[in-house]
Amino acid sequence: MHPAILWAVLFSIVLAEKSPRLKFIVQEPARFHFTKPENYMTMYHQQGSNVLYVGGQAVIYMLNFTQKGVQETQISAVTDENVRQSCLARSVSKIECDNFITVIEKVNDTFVVCGTNAGTPKCWLLMNDTVLTDMADNGQRISASDISPTIPSQRSVSLSADGSLYSALSAMGKQLGSIRRTYSSNKLLKTEDKWMLNPQFAGAAVIPATQKYNEEIYIFFSETNKTADLDEEPYRARIGRICTNDEGGTKTVLPDSWTTFLKARVMCGTASTPQQYNNIRRAFVLTSPHRTGVMYGLFSNAWDTTVVCAYSIEDIDQAFAKSKLKGYNSPFSFNGMCSKNHTATQNPKMLSVISDHPEIEDMILPVGDAPLDLPTEDHFTHIVADTVLAVNEEHYSVIYLGTEQGKILKVLHTIEEAFIISQYSLFHNEGPIINMAIDSQRGHLYIGTAMEVQRLPLADCSRYGDSCRECILSRDPYCGWDLAKKRCLAIPSNYSATTGGLLQSLDQSNASICGDTAALKIRSTIPKVVQMQKDGPVLLPCPIRSYHATYSWEKDNCIKRYSCTVSGSSCVLGSKPDLPLKEGVFRCMALESGLKQEVVSYRLVFNAGPPATSLASTLALSLLLAMIGFCFQ
């Protein structure tokens, strides 16, 4: 093989391994279209429910998803006219002088809703899923300005845990940024201004524990790197930690502040290179009683390239429990674990140390010391994940990544690699994925853009094809090949490995488990007759099913082999001066994981008469300009 061709083949194989194996255009009936663009939205979804709450501009959409479609209820949340007029008098941007819903959280059995309210944040209670009641009328201890941003572009995070609402407001303008307990029967606490420098929050999660007093909350954010040189990035990614049973300090030291707040630097990059991704944009945490938890962070660098890094929750927990405090060298003992009576045992000296040294020395490094091997040409905007119990009774992580182009990548994350199962094109109006929510109990993914919201099943097994080989090569933890029903089906929740009956191969692509006969069988197709002029152009398309396969053409039972050009979703065979196409049967062959399969075949016949509209001539007109790509042989 010519060196240039060999290099092209090797390069294309590398690209294929980092690309989605399958690409789907999805037209699910469970979709909802907004009547106006909702460029800022918040989502609330309770596990096991078919109802999704979406906070938009002056409205809350209560969307009930069914198999047939979406039932919509709108709850008005307009700004008070006096507040709006006051905003218009002082604001440059009219868009800010409306009420953008920024918080929808269920605290115990009560829905707390907050919004920007034309620059004067306000909170309500949502009663009976129908009406918003002014929070002040209910006598609750709450300060809306500590919960909701003043403008919709100000990033914020809210979290309900154990009957309390926790809020993190990013720095903007005169607001320095803070992490607070804002609505609770417990003491309302906050961070000290000096603990974070212009934080921009990316997410938060409760880290459960066997003992309630060991329970923690992690908050993920980036802050300004005050020691940055000219050649350093201006951000540092952080994980903040607070204990849920924190009741503040003494009357003289940290009386209304956290006594358990610690922060650690989070590294995302390859350890052997200076290239680091220091701005954390989104974060999602998987916790499970069956396995060590994982935190997935979506990071960017100065060039706005996005990557994903994974972290062990156990490693993070150990770092907060055992690391020394940065800049503190006294022998005074310090234990960073959440404990039963940590506040009562802290003396003023220890509280002063905590106040002056909020950062730990240990840095949090990613699993594998590098970002996941994902295509960097995709710009990721959102991330959620799920833990799936597979046929072998092991747990696997599945990551869903939203992109700037409105696509969803479904990724299997194993100890060895990140394997992109599929890519979904979902929306009529292409635009960035703004928000996502995942329901592990019922098996649904909710995805929102500015124009619509759609629900996608997590176990999308029927899309993989009707053969054992296609099902196994999908490497989807939700799906297995049912030996009795001979179908690719979702793994039932009560499945037992001792009973058997389902096949999977997740750690590697191994379709040989389907059996020798099935593995070696080449699917024969009936050749389609194509008439062509003797000197006319010919373009024969071969539909690409798997983007991890290599495609080539064979003529007349492999007497001669032809390369083809990948163009969109086809591998196109065209005549060339040095390799003209002659009459005969041309078969497109796909090779993947050592298994060869016939995809399509054509019988090329010369037409001696006048030119006629044929499959070949029609394809020539539409595809002639698209014949650019890499060739496979």
Side-chain angles (χ1 to χ4, degrees), residues 9 12-22 419-420 469-470 473 509 542-552 564 566 570-571 588-599 630-633:
V9 170
S12 63
I13 291 172
V14 171
L15 287 178
E17 289 175 350
K18 289 184 65 175
S19 68
R21 180 177 174 270
L22 302 173
F419 175 82
I420 307 176
R469 174 185 176 277
E470 290 170 314
L473 288 179
S509 296
C542 176
I544 292 178
R545 173 66 175 168
S546 169
Y547 287 81
H548 286 195
T550 55
Y551 293 81
S552 63
C564 64
V566 175
S570 293
C571 203
C588 178
M589 311 301 294
L591 180 65
E592 182 177 10
S593 299
L595 301 176
K596 200 173 187 181
Q597 185 177 19
E598 183 177 309
V599 182
F630 292 101
C631 296
F632 302 96
Q633 278 193 327

Side-chain angles (χ1 to χ4, degrees), residues 121-123 143-149 169 175:
K122 187 175 181 179
C123 292
S143 175
S145 60
D146 293 335
I147 305 175
S148 174
L169 271 181
Q175 289 184 299

Side-chain angles (χ1 to χ4, degrees), residues 39-94:
N39 294 302
Y40 303 96
M41 72 165 68
T42 187
M43 281 185 180
Y44 173 82
H45 177 266
Q46 188 168 351
Q47 290 283 317
S49 169
N50 284 322
V51 177
L52 179 73
Y53 296 84
V54 179
Q57 185 176 352
V59 66
I60 298 170
Y61 303 90
M62 193 173 71
L63 306 178
N64 185 17
F65 284 79
T66 68
Q67 295 298 323
K68 296 181 179 179
V70 184
Q71 298 173 344
E72 167 208 8
T73 301
Q74 289 193 17
I75 303 161
S76 178
V78 296
T79 306
D80 180 79
E81 185 58 27
N82 291 333
V83 175
R84 194 178 79 87
Q85 291 299 329
S86 175
C87 176
L88 290 171
R90 68 176 187 271
S91 178
V92 176
S93 172
K94 289 185 179 181

